[in-house]
Amino acid sequence: MSTKSETLFNDAVQCIPGGVNSPVRAFRAVKRTPVFIDHAKGSHIYDVDGNEYVDYVCSWGPMILGHAYPSVVDAVKAACDNGLSYGAPTSKETVLANLILEAVPFMGKVRLVNSGTEAVMSAIRVARGYTKRDKIVKFRGNYHGHSDGLLVTAGSGLLTESNPDSAGVPKGYTATTLLADYNDVASVEALFNANKGEIAAVIVEPVSANMGVVPPKEGFLEFLRRITKDNGTLLIFDEVITGFRLAYGGASEYFGIQPDMITFGKIVGGGMPLAAYVGTDEIMEVVAPVGDVYQAGTLSGNPIAVTAGIEQLKALKADKDIYIRISEFASRLEQAYLEKGITVNRVGSLLSPFFTEANVNGYDDVLKCDTEKFAEYFKHMLDMGIYVAPSQFEAMFISDAHTKADLEKTIEAIKSF
Ligand SMILES: *Cc1c(COP(=O)(O)O)cnc(C)c1O
């Protein structure tokens, strides 16, 4: 007998490519079909067959307070009564902009957009417009959304599906994207030497979290800050995952480094489609309608999404011990993996177990992981009522709603694998 999820999936594949609206949801990497979600509350999600899971996907990061967090949901419901979209400015956009700038006080201005993809794509256009240079440097295994120029050795679903590149992206589109190795200083120096005066920006996930969690080596981010400054190149931190997660001020606060631009997504929208890019006043001067870099959006700064973002950021700002609690929770899980002899990387509340003997410091190490073993682990966890990302190359996301009982249940599941 098939489950309700299987039936729904069979219906979905008839009308949606692969039955999903984002590839990694398809569970292909773990050779299964996805569970369809009915609802979620706190740290738990419930599928259409009535199974309950402790959720470590948390919508891939946004639900840092847990699902259906009351102050966020109540504010969203109230906002709906005033209309869903106007295409004209509202005072709430300024409130959210200021909440974001409080996280990164060295920045000048914020532009709100609808997705992380859009935020990064726009930030890169701004960096090119500002520096009047074309080339950018990205790192193998870092994911910056699905815009054409950035789909080169990207992580996340591309790694899972083992497409090194996407079809449909003309060669010329990626010709200005230079590739370096994360945590490898020499690979970055070589690109700067070979492209003197031509590199507009270096974009990096300050903690890589789309090839599994890979922390920056001591001094690596400082090195990036130095070499970009010395070459008139902008440093862009893609904090779509790390922003408001490692600390309220994200990775720039956590590591004490000030990039020239930052992109936010995921947490900043409180679970709604909202993202942002920020830069210093001087850089953001180039953005239209003030400057000549065009970037626009019919639904950008949508009042409902902005409301969710404001309430989530307010809650995070009001109780910064959240960051201590979620890190401690992650550290207990880290301990459980280590006791089981499983390699694990952790930074704050972001962690990934890796099915490989060696330490994981970069993309080449990640590629050595045993994905068959991961698939077995995934099945075991799901059977035990633990929902982790269906891929070796993703982070586990902890929320403040995860309880002691969740922790014990998860440790039990790890022990019995
Ligand atoms: C998720 C992610 C993106 C893309 O964001 P979307 O909202 O999925 O478009 C970009 N950069 C990083 C680091 C991400 O994790």
Side-chain angles (χ1 to χ4, degrees), residues 329-400:
F329 191 104
S331 131
R332 298 284 304 278
L333 290 181
E334 175 185 35
Q335 206 51 45
Y337 287 113
L338 289 175
E339 277 164 20
K340 190 73 190 172
I342 297 172
T343 303
V344 59
N345 281 347
R346 179 181 74 88
V347 180
S349 66
L350 290 167
L351 80 161
S352 295
F354 289 101
F355 292 92
T356 174
E357 299 292 313
N359 289 338
V360 176
N361 295 315
Y363 187 60
D364 291 335
D365 301 328
V366 163
L367 293 181
K368 291 180 195 135
C369 289
D370 183 346
T371 52
E372 300 286 330
K373 190 89 185 165
F374 179 87
E376 284 172 36
Y377 156 81
F378 176 83
K379 180 182 183 310
H380 170 78
M381 296 302 270
L382 203 64
D383 288 345
M384 299 290 285
I386 314 289
Y387 188 82
V388 298
S391 161
Q392 168 69 88
F393 310 114
E394 305 287 353
M396 287 176 91
F397 294 100
I398 314 301
S399 82
D400 195 39

Side-chain angles (χ1 to χ4, degrees), residues 106-107 225 229 235 237 252 256-260:
F106 52 94
M107 289 295 187
R225 180 61 288 184
K229 197 160 251 167
L235 178 62
F237 273 6
S252 65
I257 293 176
Q258 301 185 354
D260 302 294

Side-chain angles (χ1 to χ4, degrees), residues 115-118 120 143-146 205 210 238 240-241 266:
S115 69
T117 296
E118 221 188 315
V120 177
Y143 179 68
H144 303 294
H146 65 92
E205 288 184 65
N210 282 291
D238 182 349
V240 169
I241 282 182
K266 300 191 168 111

